[in-house]
Amino acid sequence: MHVRLPMFTKSKVLVALLLACFVLLGGWLAYRTISANNHRSRLMLAQEIHKALSMMMGDLNNVKASSIQGVPADGKWYHAIGFNSRSANVINYRLNGQGNDELKRTSDLKTEIIANRLNELNFRRMPGDNLLLEVQIQAKNNLTLTSNFKIRLIE
């Protein structure tokens, strides 16, 4: 048996379907906007970590283990490092700034801000292998991104 719906009921169904489509479309657009913002934040943090890693790796590339200051070979994490390099007397790296989120490089009384939005910087050398320096960097905005690297020092 086929039941015929009155015309005003069909129009209500049509309006309800259109409203549901608009709600679904709005939800999808909101999701895409949030996803794009997270991608931009992650990219921005990755760029800050890349700037920090590039500068530190370049400086630490030809450093003698005996010139490392502030990071003894005891397996503990330290938040700053100093070392003698061939091009400058002493180079220091540490987090500083108003929010303690700027990576600062100091050499020969000149201070440069290398990267921003960093909330953690750690250095460590192990007692069994004092030539291996581990570096851990963490950047944070509304997301958190961490990078670790190891570099072999000169004996």
Side-chain angles (χ1 to χ4, degrees):
M1 175 169 170
H2 183 64
V3 177
R4 252 184 102 112
L5 296 174
M7 188 58 162
F8 69 91
T9 307
K10 287 182 181 177
S11 64
K12 285 182 181 179
V13 169
L14 183 59
V15 168
L17 285 173
L18 285 174
L19 184 62
C21 287
F22 283 124
V23 168
L24 288 174
L25 180 63
W28 180 76
L29 288 174
Y31 169 76
R32 295 289 296 168
T33 302
I34 291 169
S35 178
N37 287 340
N38 283 343
H39 179 70
R40 276 191 289 277
S41 291
R42 185 169 295 149
L43 182 61
M44 182 177 57
L45 294 179
Q47 288 172 338
E48 294 299 318
I49 285 180
H50 177 72
K51 288 190 293 188
L53 289 176
S54 295
M55 182 63 87
M56 283 193 291
M57 288 178 80
D59 282 343
L60 289 166
N61 197 25
N62 293 312
V63 171
K64 292 185 178 182
S66 60
S67 75
I68 297 289
Q69 303 163 11
V71 184
D74 61 3
K76 295 179 184 175
W77 289 102
Y78 294 90
H79 305 295
I81 191 170
F83 52 88
N84 294 329
S85 75
R86 294 181 179 165
S87 61
N89 292 334
V90 176
I91 296 175
N92 291 294
Y93 281 99
R94 73 181 34 181
L95 289 183
N96 216 332
Q98 279 188 322
N100 205 30
D101 64 348
E102 297 173 340
L103 175 62
K104 291 196 176 179
R105 177 186 186 269
T106 305
S107 65
D108 296 332
L109 302 176
K110 178 183 169 192
T111 300
E112 302 173 78
I113 298 172
I114 304 301
N116 295 296
R117 295 181 181 87
L118 301 181
N119 68 324
E120 224 175 280
L121 177 65
N122 298 307
F123 302 93
R124 170 172 79 174
R125 292 193 300 161
M126 300 305 284
D129 188 2
N130 71 337
L131 297 179
L132 189 65
L133 176 67
E134 295 179 61
V135 181
Q136 181 184 64
I137 301 174
Q138 186 177 75
K140 187 172 186 176
N141 198 356
N142 57 345
L143 299 171
T144 301
L145 195 60
T146 303
S147 182
N148 301 305
F149 75 92
K150 296 178 182 180
I151 191 161
R152 177 122 345 242
L153 304 169
I154 299 172
E155 202 166 336

